[in-house]
């Protein structure tokens, strides 16, 4: 099948109608309609539900849309890599981060990457985790950075997963000033004003309830730096991952490890699609990230075929 058919098919899906796609592609609408019929004949399946003002994909249509984007992505990446001498020095790095992910270390890696590969463009998409994973599966981004992801999907490949420890971060003169312990149980936090990430609140509430303890979620936010700022001001004890506290520059805060934290600890996780072509550009970036974190990163084996 002509690659142009797949490119036009993707445009039809994203524009929502043959009319809009024909206008954008500057192709006659009957010609696009014939291409759709050819694809349906080739695959032996209906791709759209017809009759509505906006075209709606069938299950087969959705599968073909995802695969067509992948084929276009591979072709584009191949052209870029050939044009740049296989080095991945030209093209676009497309990664996603969850809305709650704030990491100066990530920006530092992006900065180093941009200096090492000045001819590349960098696109970072921010979204809530479910939407981000969907964009990854649809090929909008090639890798995503999230916290507390469970790898339930068979087509997701965990590239890095740095586990963390849960700490109670606080201003020294506001809380625990006479407590010399390095760790504290949940009981020591009962009744204290707490600053928490919104997505973590149900887990913390459940853990406190299980032990018959009172939880006081005084400040709840979707932003980690806001959670920690309440602790810096002496208004609350922040329950956060230790690495997040360090990476966001809150090393002035005192902290104690929470002893009962096995099920409550978020982790920094980077995922991509399994068995999927990854452009040389994203592989270069992930390799650089791995080197900075002293983590081993193995590229997909089919990436080595040109060497």
């Amino acid at each position: 099948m002509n690659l142009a058919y797949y490119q036009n098919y993707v445009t039809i899906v994203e524009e929502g109608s043959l009319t809009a796609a024909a206008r954008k592609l500057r192709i006659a609408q009957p010609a696009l309609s014939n291409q759709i019929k050819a694809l349906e004949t080739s695959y032996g399946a209906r791709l759209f539900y017809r009759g509505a003002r906006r075209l709606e994909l069938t299950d087969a249509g959705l599968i073909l849309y995802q695969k067509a984007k992948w084929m276009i992505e591979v072709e584009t990446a191949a052209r870029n890599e050939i044009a740049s001498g296989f080095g991945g020095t030209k093209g676009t790095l497309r990664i996603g981060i969850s809305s709650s992910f704030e990491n100066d270390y990530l920006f530092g890696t992006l900065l180093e990457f941009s200096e090492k590969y000045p001819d590349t463009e960098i696109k970072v998409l921010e979204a809530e985790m479910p939407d981000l994973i969907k964009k990854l599966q649809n090929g909008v981004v090639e890798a995503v950075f999230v916290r507390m992801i469970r790898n339930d999907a068979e087509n997701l490949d965990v590239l890095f997963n740095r586990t963390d420890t849960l700490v109670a971060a606080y201003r020294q003169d506001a809380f625990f000033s006479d407590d010399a312990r390095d760790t504290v149980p949940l009981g020591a936090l009962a009744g204290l004003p707490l600053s928490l990430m919104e997505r973590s609140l149900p887990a913390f509430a459940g853990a406190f309830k299980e032990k018959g303890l009172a939880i006081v979620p005084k400040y709840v936010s979707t932003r980690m730096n806001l959670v920690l700022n309440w602790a810096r001001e002496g208004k609350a004890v922040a329950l956060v991952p230790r690495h997040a506290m360090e990476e966001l520059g809150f090393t002035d805060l005192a902290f104690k490890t929470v002893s009962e934290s096995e099920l409550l600890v978020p982790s920094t996780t980077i995922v991509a699609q399994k068995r999927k072509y990854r452009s040389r550009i994203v592989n270069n970036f992930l390799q650089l990230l791995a080197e900075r974190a002293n983590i081993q990163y193995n590229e997909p084996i089919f990436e080595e075929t040109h060497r």
Side-chain angles (χ1 to χ4, degrees):
M1 188 66 67
N2 191 323
L3 183 63
Y5 278 36
Y6 295 110
Q7 293 170 326
N8 293 343
Y9 175 71
V10 168
T11 301
I12 292 168
V13 173
E14 294 179 348
E15 290 298 313
S17 73
L18 284 171
T19 302
R23 188 182 306 116
K24 182 173 183 177
L25 293 168
R26 298 182 179 179
I27 297 175
Q29 186 170 327
L32 285 182
S33 182
N34 288 335
Q35 289 182 16
I36 294 298
K37 290 177 183 177
L39 286 169
E40 289 181 329
T41 299
S42 178
Y43 288 100
R46 195 176 183 180
L47 301 177
F48 294 102
Y49 295 111
R50 292 176 174 82
R53 293 179 63 184
R54 182 177 178 86
L55 291 174
E56 294 183 10
L57 288 173
T58 63
D59 289 343
L62 177 60
I63 292 171
L64 183 59
Y65 170 68
Q66 294 172 341
K67 300 305 180 184
K69 285 182 69 71
W70 177 79
M71 286 186 282
I72 295 166
E73 178 185 325
V74 170
E75 196 267 350
T76 301
R79 288 183 180 277
N80 286 337
E81 288 187 22
I82 291 171
S84 60
F86 306 114
T89 60
K90 181 180 179 181
T92 303
L93 173 67
R94 296 175 292 107
I95 61 174
I97 60 172
S98 64
S99 298
S100 60
F101 194 93
E102 298 176 73
N103 194 321
D104 290 343
Y105 169 75
L106 171 60
F107 178 74
T109 306
L110 288 170
L111 181 62
E112 183 176 342
F113 179 83
S114 70
E115 292 171 348
K116 189 172 183 179
Y117 304 101
D119 292 331
T120 60
E121 295 180 0
I122 297 175
K123 292 186 178 180
V124 181
L125 182 106
E126 179 181 331
E128 295 300 327
M129 191 168 69
D131 187 43
L132 202 61
I133 296 302
K134 188 175 181 180
K135 290 182 185 299
L136 174 67
Q137 293 170 330
N138 288 342
V140 178
V141 294
E142 291 189 84
V144 299
F145 294 68
V146 293
R147 291 190 189 277
M148 294 184 73
I149 187 173
R150 295 186 307 161
N151 185 25
D152 294 332
E154 292 183 358
N155 65 335
L156 292 184
D157 185 15
V158 175
L159 305 179
F160 308 114
N161 186 48
R162 184 179 67 177
T163 56
D164 215 331
T165 54
L166 182 72
V167 298
Y170 58 96
R171 199 173 78 183
Q172 184 71 56
D173 62 352
F175 301 95
F176 301 115
S177 57
D178 57 349
D179 191 335
R181 294 177 295 179
D182 292 328
T183 63
V184 292
L186 286 180
L189 304 172
L192 293 179
L194 300 179
S195 181
L196 308 166
M197 290 291 290
E198 184 179 45
R199 57 183 165 76
S200 302
L201 181 56
F204 286 128
F208 274 72
K209 183 178 180 180
E210 184 178 338
K211 293 182 176 294
L213 301 172
I215 184 172
V216 183
K218 182 72 173 178
Y219 305 102
V220 180
S221 176
T222 58
R223 290 290 183 184
M224 187 71 73
N225 61 347
L226 289 177
V227 170
L228 286 161
N229 269 322
W230 289 115
R232 177 175 278 170
E233 293 298 320
K235 300 294 185 181
V237 175
L239 294 184
V240 297
R242 180 174 177 179
H243 283 136
M245 183 183 73
E246 295 170 348
E247 290 163 358
L248 290 173
F250 286 84
T251 53
D252 55 308
L253 292 176
F255 68 89
K256 296 181 183 297
T257 302
V258 180
S259 56
E260 299 124 320
S261 62
E262 291 81 1
L263 299 178
L264 306 177
V265 182
S267 60
T268 299
T269 307
I270 306 174
V271 296
Q273 288 200 64
K274 278 185 179 177
R275 301 179 295 277
K276 182 179 183 299
Y277 175 86
R278 291 176 207 150
S279 70
R280 171 59 55 190
I281 289 174
V282 78
N283 275 324
N284 285 346
F285 173 72
L286 293 173
Q287 185 62 53
L288 178 61
L289 191 76
E291 291 171 1
R292 286 168 57 92
N294 293 317
I295 301 172
Q296 180 69 35
Y297 171 63
N298 296 315
E299 298 178 10
I301 191 168
F302 42 74
E303 275 284 277
E304 303 298 326
T305 57
H306 64 260
R307 291 185 177 179

